[in-house]
């Protein structure tokens, strides 16, 4: 099954800073969507909403401070349900590296192409948030195509 | 084998405009790398160079005006050699859609994560070029991590 993969490298931020931006409601709100709610605990669900574009519910499966976050999609578009989203964090010289994977897609449909590019822009938003203090979370997200 | 997928939607440009930016040395130089040389004909090779970061040679396999471009990598990083890069173009309402695929990767290595995000930023550069007249080609490309 095809996966979406991405990598960003962040300067002036530690793995713990990146972990915090991936595991607090405030951090997630600053780079992905302002409308983020829930509890960051294993077994709990975090809800991400994008106005009339809908959104996703993510069940937190793994939390390894400073190293790894794993979610599973429990609600959202049909293609997303059951898929898993992970962030692996490490230090490499002056950079904090985030390796991203969205795995479990059944088919490489057009929506998967869209989501791949959109994830890339959101991860660049995470990088920007940590490097400059300002991300590009929904509704100020980067528009990539006719699906937003 | 895992693929890199992307989608961008371009306003104020036709499928033929997008095709031109993907099949002329001038167009390619404006969104991917300023150091682009070669001939855009089936069976010929186009060379893309990125200074000390090396580059890629692409053999042109298919050209379908306004609809599709397919290249095969003949020289470059070991992970790229033999892989194929395609751009499928179509109109969807006010948008010209480009569906991108880089297929034939053997393993989902860290370099593939890097290339996925980097392709995303270059496709956003293509979008920007066609919408505003200004892309972000190397050496003015968007930096994503410690590998550039």
């Amino acid at each position: 099954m095809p996966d979406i993969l991405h990598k960003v490298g962040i300067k002036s931020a530690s793995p713990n800073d990146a972990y915090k931006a991936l595991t607090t409601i405030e951090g997630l709100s600053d780079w992905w969507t302002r409308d983020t709610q829930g509890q960051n605990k294993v077994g709990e669900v975090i809800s991400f909403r994008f106005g009339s574009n809908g959104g996703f519910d993510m069940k937190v499966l793994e939390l390894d401070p400073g190293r790894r976050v794993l979610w599973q999609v429990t609600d959202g578009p049909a293609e997303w349900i059951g898929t898993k989203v992970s962030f692996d964090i490490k230090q490499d010289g002056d950079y904090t590296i985030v390796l991203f994977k969205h795995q479990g897609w059944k088919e490489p449909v057009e929506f998967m192409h869209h989501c791949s590019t959109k994830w890339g822009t959101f991860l660049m938003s995470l990088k920007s948030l940590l490097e400059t203090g300002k991300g590009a979370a929904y509704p100020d997200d980067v528009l990539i195509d006719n699906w937003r």
Side-chain angles (χ1 to χ4, degrees), chain A:
Chain A
M1 287 193 296
D3 301 333
I4 294 171
L5 307 177
H6 285 293
K7 174 185 173 182
V8 289
I10 303 155
K11 276 191 160 175
S12 328
S14 68
N16 282 331
D17 294 334
Y19 182 78
K20 197 174 160 192
L22 295 168
T23 56
T24 62
I25 300 305
E26 187 190 351
L28 293 163
S29 300
D30 282 345
W31 69 266
W32 198 15
T33 172
R34 292 276 164 212
D35 190 355
T36 298
Q37 294 178 32
Q39 261 207 304
N40 184 65
K41 282 186 186 170
V42 171
E44 297 291 329
V45 170
I46 308 178
S47 297
F48 302 93
R49 293 292 178 272
F50 300 80
S52 62
N53 298 287
F56 319 104
D57 285 352
M58 301 282 195
K59 185 172 179 180
V60 180
L61 294 192
E62 285 181 44
L63 291 173
D64 186 352
R67 296 176 59 180
R68 178 172 162 87
V69 175
L70 175 66
W71 300 328
Q72 185 162 32
V73 182
T74 55
D75 202 3
E79 297 91 336
W80 279 51
I81 293 177
T83 61
K84 291 181 182 173
V85 173
S86 62
F87 304 85
D88 285 284
I89 308 166
K90 64 179 180 180
Q91 185 91 38
D92 189 346
D94 292 341
Y95 287 83
T96 287
I97 304 297
V98 177
L99 295 178
F100 170 89
K101 191 179 284 192
H102 184 175
Q103 58 187 309
W105 288 79
K106 288 191 179 65
E107 298 290 339
V109 292
E110 182 169 336
F111 185 48
M112 186 177 171
H113 293 66
H114 165 87
C115 293
S116 175
T117 312
K118 195 75 189 179
W119 271 126
T121 61
F122 278 123
L123 290 161
M124 291 298 286
S125 165
L126 169 68
K127 172 178 165 71
S128 172
L129 173 67
L130 290 166
E131 290 180 345
T132 72
K134 193 169 161 50
Y138 174 90
D140 301 312
D141 51 323
V142 174
L143 307 184
I144 64 161
D145 63 24
N146 53 332
W147 295 344
R148 196 175 172 99

